[in-house]
Amino acid sequence: MKIDVIPYASAIRPDLVKNKTVVVIDVLRASSVMVTALAHGAKAFIPVVTVREALEKAKTIEASGEKVLLCGERDTKTIAGFHLGNSPLAYSRQKVEGKILILTTSNGTQALNRLQEAESISIGAFLNMEALVRHLLPKDHVVLVCSGTNNNFSMDDAMCAALFVDEMKKQKRVKLSDMAITLLKAYQKDNGNLPLLLKDCYHLNLLKNNGFGKDVDYCLQKDLWDVVPVMKNGLIIK
């Protein structure tokens, strides 16, 4: 298997993802939200770029009789008037089961909407890593897309990509890009100790400082859910 890594959303180019198997990683927190909500019975996610687009989609879907939740954040905080923000701990079965969730976030949904040329898109997080590796084991070429933070490199997504590489290496022979090699070496330096690796991560500490420390602790758990969200025809389903 060949594994490439795109380090942040604005680095996505059509030639890098065209007809490729792509994994989008936004550990803190959009990927973790999608994994959690789908595990709790959400019907689907619709990722959109803008708040206006989210509101328009909601009206259209509600008119068809579906139950809809508006979900998302800007600058880590819940968007005014939305049902839910970007805290995975808020996506309980009671709130999301059977509903379509329209999601717009600062980073993850921006990355997802740059991938029209991809052959397939899966969602990755620490929470579903074992399931993700198993899901992609038959593939010959995987491109890991780290969403990053505000179009900058972010260590949380990078270490999740590195964990994927590390776990896949245990299953089959891999050929790694320079970025994948660099991230793997960084991950292995501290033996995959996530709290230690990420203690200086800007986005992680921003969330903690904004009162989302419990979200951070939750999102850094490995293999909590046996769910791999996939994107098909604009919908993210399991």
Side-chain angles (χ1 to χ4, degrees):
M1 175 187 284
K2 182 179 180 181
I3 304 177
D4 295 325
V5 179
I6 297 176
Y8 45 85
S10 61
I12 299 169
R13 302 195 314 262
D15 61 296
L16 298 177
V17 298
K18 187 173 182 178
N19 300 324
K20 303 285 177 58
T21 298
V22 174
V23 179
V24 175
I25 299 169
D26 186 8
V27 169
L28 300 173
R29 297 165 284 168
S31 292
S32 300
V33 161
M34 288 184 270
V35 170
T36 301
L38 290 171
H40 286 158
K43 192 170 184 178
F45 276 90
I46 300 177
V48 299
V49 174
T50 67
V51 172
R52 182 177 179 179
E53 187 181 359
L55 294 170
E56 290 172 351
K57 287 271 188 186
K59 286 182 180 179
T60 301
I61 295 169
E62 284 174 338
S64 70
E66 293 280 3
K67 295 180 180 179
V68 176
L69 293 178
L70 286 164
C71 310
E73 57 75 34
R74 290 294 184 270
D75 298 322
T76 76
K77 304 297 178 59
T78 303
I79 297 167
F82 275 35
H83 300 100
L84 292 168
N86 202 29
S87 170
L89 296 174
Y91 287 71
S92 64
R93 183 172 296 275
Q94 183 180 9
K95 290 181 180 178
V96 306
E97 189 169 23
K99 296 174 183 175
I100 294 177
L101 281 51
I102 301 173
L103 180 68
T104 179
T105 67
S106 299
N107 304 297
T109 60
Q110 315 302 314
L112 282 163
N113 280 278
R114 291 173 177 260
L115 298 174
Q116 291 87 350
E117 301 289 330
E119 179 181 276
S120 67
I121 301 170
S122 303
I123 307 299
F126 292 117
L127 296 173
N128 71 332
M129 185 56 64
E130 182 179 351
L132 183 70
V133 170
R134 187 170 66 247
H135 176 69
L136 295 174
L137 194 59
K139 301 297 183 180
D140 295 321
H141 190 174
V142 174
V143 180
L144 305 174
V145 175
C146 299
S147 297
T149 300
N150 299 326
N151 288 318
N152 290 300
F153 178 84
S154 191
M155 187 63 76
D156 52 313
D157 296 337
M159 289 302 94
C160 188
L163 175 60
F164 176 88
V165 174
D166 194 48
E167 292 297 323
M168 191 59 78
K169 276 174 60 75
K170 298 173 184 177
Q171 303 291 330
K172 63 191 300 186
R173 293 176 62 87
V174 297
K175 180 180 180 181
L176 305 178
S177 68
D178 284 3
M179 179 61 74
I181 292 169
T182 300
L183 297 185
L184 180 61
K185 287 183 177 180
Y187 176 80
Q188 292 176 335
K189 179 177 178 293
D190 288 313
N191 299 311
N193 183 327
L194 292 177
L196 182 59
L197 286 164
L198 299 176
K199 66 182 176 65
D200 296 319
C201 173
Y202 166 79
H203 189 53
L204 181 149
N205 285 306
L206 176 65
L207 287 169
K208 284 188 172 181
N209 291 336
N210 286 348
F212 297 110
K214 290 183 179 179
D215 281 4
V216 170
D217 293 341
Y218 173 79
C219 292
L220 297 189
Q221 295 179 95
K222 298 176 185 177
D223 305 326
L224 197 61
W225 300 110
D226 189 20
V227 170
V228 180
V230 294
M231 189 167 178
K232 296 181 179 179
N233 301 318
L235 294 176
I236 296 174
I237 58 176
K238 66 177 180 180

